[in-house]
């Protein structure tokens, strides 16, 4: 079994009460990369290089990092940076709910061009004046955090918003129109096409999202995001437990996009097929997110630490409970609707 890529969650109670924003020095984060330089973050990260030069990789793109460079990564992206040659810098890290709960827009952060699905550009070189201005804002954020009061985060949100808007303006100005215009379509189309080729080759033996994500050199969450955006489906998840057709249990990451969608709208469909006899059932129903220990232990399997490194108590591990109320059966080039009591 291959080693799982280390994944780092946001330290929400670092300052006592929950706070979903922080500014950390790269010299500080370097000591936590004990299992190698390749890692995954479960939160948004904007890294500002201030000292040294070295390679900085996000996904399958590697860049030369130098002072004045800014790098953007979103939750689930595979990252690495040269901890030996990049001397120092600052990482502005946050979870999207820190802003979305304030603006009442659940997609505000995702719609920023440098966090958009399939972005083609991860790096931005800022003019000296703008770079200095943003570094001062990072300093102001840190000062505000040091005097943090649990019920007074308005200034922190305002400072973060100002940083994001300055970067948004610089990003949109710097990226050529032909690159900036829906850049995710080309790369997503490639992954989508290759995914269906792989399914055709391996579906009989391989039903794991992780298998296909590894073949595409992307994360499972990113694969699900591409499929959801392109054709409104979720990649296959292996059923962990089934109670007839009424209840079906699956596992996934708590931080995944689908979990947040189901929390807002619990309507869902599952498709189960038999490729040997060309039969299939589409089930309609509702999806419930379970995080209690009993449910998590019920479907936990050996080897799951590859996806949930902290084990059955990993906060990024949850159970999806699907409850069906109707369906459609396909066989012999015919279909028939039915209800489930």
């Amino acid at each position: 079994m291959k080693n799982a890529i280390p994944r780092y969650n946001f330290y929400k109670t670092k300052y006592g009460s929950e706070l979903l924003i922080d500014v950390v020095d790269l010299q500080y984060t370097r000591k936590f990369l004990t299992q190698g330089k390749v890692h995954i973050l479960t939160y948004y990260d904007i890294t500002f290089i201030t000292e040294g030069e070295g390679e900085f990789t996000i996904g399958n793109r590697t860049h030369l990092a130098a002072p004045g460079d800014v790098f953007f990564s979103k939750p689930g992206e595979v990252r690495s940076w040269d901890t030996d040659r990049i001397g120092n810098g600052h990482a502005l890290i946050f979870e999207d709910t820190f802003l979305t709960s304030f603006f009442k827009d659940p997609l505000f952060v995702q719609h920023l061009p440098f966090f958009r699905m399939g972005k083609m550009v991860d790096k931005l070189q800022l003019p000296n004046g703008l770079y200095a201005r943003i570094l001062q804002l990072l300093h102001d954020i840190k000062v505000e955090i040091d005097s943090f009061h649990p019920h007074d985060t308005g200034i922190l949100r305002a400072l973060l918003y100002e940083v994001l808007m300055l970067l948004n303006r610089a990003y949109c100005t710097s990226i050529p129109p032909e690159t900036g215009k829906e850049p995710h379509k080309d790369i997503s189309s490639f992954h989508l096409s290759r995914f269906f080729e792989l399914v055709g080759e391996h579906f009989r033996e391989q039903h794991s999202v992780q298998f296909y994500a590894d073949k595409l050199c992307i994360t499972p969450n990113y694969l699900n995001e591409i499929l959801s955006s392109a054709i409104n489906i979720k990649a296959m998840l292996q059923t962990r437990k089934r109670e007839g057709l009424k209840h079906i249990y699956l596992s996934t990451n708590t931080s995944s996009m689908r979990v947040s969608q189901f929390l807002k709208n619990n309507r869902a469909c599952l498709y189960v097929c038999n490729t040997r006899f060309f039969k299939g059932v589409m089930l309609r129903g509702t999806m419930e997110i379970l995080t209690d220990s009993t449910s998590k232990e019920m479907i936990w399997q050996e080897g799951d630490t590859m996806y949930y490194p902290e084990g059955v108590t990993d906060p990024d591990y949850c159970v999806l409970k699907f409850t069906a109320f109707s369906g459609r059966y396909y066989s012999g080039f015919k279909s028939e609707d039915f209800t489930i009591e």
Side-chain angles (χ1 to χ4, degrees), residues 1-6 35 306:
M1 179 183 296
K2 67 177 185 179
N3 294 327
I5 298 175
Q35 301 181 46
M306 176 181 293

Side-chain angles (χ1 to χ4, degrees), residues 254-272:
T254 311
S255 59
S256 68
M257 180 182 66
R258 280 296 185 186
V259 167
S260 63
Q261 289 178 338
F262 287 137
L263 289 173
K264 297 181 181 71
N265 182 352
N266 68 348
R267 298 296 292 270
C269 289
L270 286 182
Y271 186 75
V272 183

Side-chain angles (χ1 to χ4, degrees), residues 99-124:
L99 279 177
T100 57
S101 61
F102 181 73
F103 290 111
K104 307 300 181 184
D105 179 2
L107 299 178
F108 172 78
V109 177
Q110 296 179 38
H111 285 163
L112 292 170
F114 38 80
F115 288 138
R116 189 175 297 151
M117 186 192 73
K119 64 184 186 301
M120 296 295 289
V121 180
D122 308 301
K123 170 184 171 181
L124 190 61

Side-chain angles (χ1 to χ4, degrees), residues 10-180:
F10 199 97
Y11 189 0
K12 298 180 181 181
T13 56
K14 177 180 177 181
Y15 299 97
S17 299
E18 181 176 280
L19 183 62
L20 302 181
I21 182 174
D22 202 1
V23 176
V24 294
D25 292 340
L26 295 189
Q27 289 180 339
Y28 173 78
T29 61
R30 179 186 290 114
K31 64 183 180 181
F32 294 103
L33 303 178
T34 56
Q35 301 181 46
K37 300 171 185 176
V38 177
H39 59 281
I40 294 173
L41 303 179
T42 63
Y43 47 85
Y44 290 90
D45 179 292
I46 305 176
T47 297
F48 301 81
I49 307 299
T50 58
E51 299 177 18
E53 295 185 358
E55 291 186 346
F56 201 112
T57 300
I58 298 176
N60 58 1
R61 294 187 290 272
T62 298
H63 310 272
L64 176 63
D69 287 341
V70 183
F71 293 90
F72 306 91
S73 67
K74 60 181 183 173
E77 289 189 304
V78 178
R79 302 159 25 108
S80 68
W81 53 277
D82 192 334
T83 57
D84 298 321
R85 298 178 59 194
I86 297 178
N88 201 8
H90 309 289
L92 172 61
I93 60 177
F94 61 95
E95 294 203 354
D96 59 355
T97 52
F98 184 70
L99 279 177
T100 57
S101 61
F102 181 73
F103 290 111
K104 307 300 181 184
D105 179 2
L107 299 178
F108 172 78
V109 177
Q110 296 179 38
H111 285 163
L112 292 170
F114 38 80
F115 288 138
R116 189 175 297 151
M117 186 192 73
K119 64 184 186 301
M120 296 295 289
V121 180
D122 308 301
K123 170 184 171 181
L124 190 61
Q125 175 75 41
L126 296 180
N128 292 337
L130 178 57
Y131 194 68
R133 178 180 175 183
I134 293 181
L135 290 184
Q136 180 60 50
L137 286 170
L138 297 185
H139 172 75
D140 294 343
I141 290 174
K142 188 62 178 174
V143 170
E144 187 67 20
I145 288 175
D146 290 339
S147 59
F148 167 60
H149 299 287
H151 302 293
D152 184 17
T153 57
I155 294 177
L156 280 173
R157 286 193 174 98
L159 290 170
L160 175 58
Y161 181 76
E162 183 175 357
V163 172
L164 293 176
M165 290 302 96
L166 288 172
L167 291 172
N168 179 68
R169 180 192 299 169
Y171 190 95
C172 293
T173 302
S174 301
I175 305 305
E178 61 272 16
T179 304

Side-chain angles (χ1 to χ4, degrees), residues 3 7 17 63 77 155 221 232 234 295-296 305 309 320:
N3 294 327
R7 182 177 55 198
S17 299
H63 310 272
E77 289 189 304
I155 294 177
N221 280 351
N232 197 30
K234 183 172 178 63
S295 299
K296 294 171 74 170
T305 51
L320 298 179

Side-chain angles (χ1 to χ4, degrees), residues 231-266:
I231 51 179
N232 197 30
I233 67 170
K234 183 172 178 63
M236 294 88 67
L237 289 175
Q238 189 171 8
T239 299
R240 292 297 180 88
K241 181 179 179 180
R242 183 170 61 84
E243 299 170 353
L245 290 179
K246 185 67 176 178
H247 299 298
I248 297 175
Y249 298 85
L250 314 99
S251 71
T252 193
N253 296 96
T254 311
S255 59
S256 68
M257 180 182 66
R258 280 296 185 186
V259 167
S260 63
Q261 289 178 338
F262 287 137
L263 289 173
K264 297 181 181 71
N265 182 352
N266 68 348

